[in-house]
Amino acid sequence: MEEWEDFLKVRYPEEQSKGFKAIDPNKKKEQFRNYEADARPSVREFYRLNHHHQTYDFVQAKKKDFLALNRRKMSIWEAMEYLNTLVDDSDPDTDLSQLEHLLQTAEQMRKDGQPRWFILTGLIHDLGKILCLYGEPQWAVVGDTFPVGCAWSDKIVFHQFFKDNPDAQNPKLQTQVGPYSENCGLDNVHMSWGHDEYLYHVVKDYLPTEALYMIRYHSFYPAHREGEYNYLMNDQDRAMFEWVRRFNPYDLYTKNHEKPDVAKLRPFYDELIAEYFPASLRW
Ligand SMILES: [Fe+2]
């Protein structure tokens, strides 16, 4: 999991992202391919599995299974503590727990004077990773997300691995719009399955639209960093992606080794959570 995030930082380094444009005409395809060539074997293998197995039917099956939200009933803080039981062996050099990382992201937003709902979104945005604790493989939890059922953008990293995806053999699932229609809006588009979509469904009744976009599309790098799939978006999507872009630097670059003081911060976050969420949610 950490390796995927580290690889994102290699592809989208912090210095270059200051004032980045979603559609960067100067970005060369070769540059992208170099990241692939230099990627660790485990990262390569992660994308190979992801691109092979994330089919249109796979997404429908996972939605049917997980979006009934009948696995657990937990408060937001309980979900944070639950996620905290996840040990990520792929990152031996971080000494921060999942919960500390969430707090660190939120604290950075707070320091920058972001609105309360924005800080709350920072706090919870990765809670969907509890999918790992249900036994889901990493490639079905994290990774760049992309629409399924239509042609894959060639700006999706490791695009070549889609050749082994069974949908590649179905011409109906290979047209530009697939089962969708032009500018139909992303809400009508099925995205590859992972922690973004799952958490969106858990929290969708409780947060402002901007926050929901940040949660649902924060791993949709092909759109928010590469400017792809504009033809599936409607005007609301385009406006709301400004918020997804505003969120992204916090997601990618906040990590440092300064441990947040959980006990000291807890009262502030308890109050913030209670402002938006009921005492228990269905997961
Ligand atoms: Fe995430």
Side-chain angles (χ1 to χ4, degrees), residues 55-85:
T55 63
Y56 186 81
D57 288 345
F58 173 81
V59 169
Q60 309 312 314
K62 288 293 167 191
K63 285 185 160 181
K64 204 168 161 217
D65 185 5
F66 286 102
L67 299 187
L69 303 181
N70 57 9
R71 282 186 167 66
R72 303 174 80 100
K73 283 198 175 113
M74 295 185 285
S75 68
I76 291 289
W77 195 272
E78 281 165 347
M80 287 169 64
E81 286 177 335
Y82 182 45
L83 181 66
N84 214 28
T85 64

Side-chain angles (χ1 to χ4, degrees), residues 39-55:
R40 282 195 237 173
S42 53
V43 170
R44 245 186 120 70
E45 178 60 7
F46 164 81
Y47 280 104
R48 192 189 66 75
L49 290 166
N50 176 283
H51 292 4
H52 183 155
H53 295 294
Q54 292 271 2
T55 63

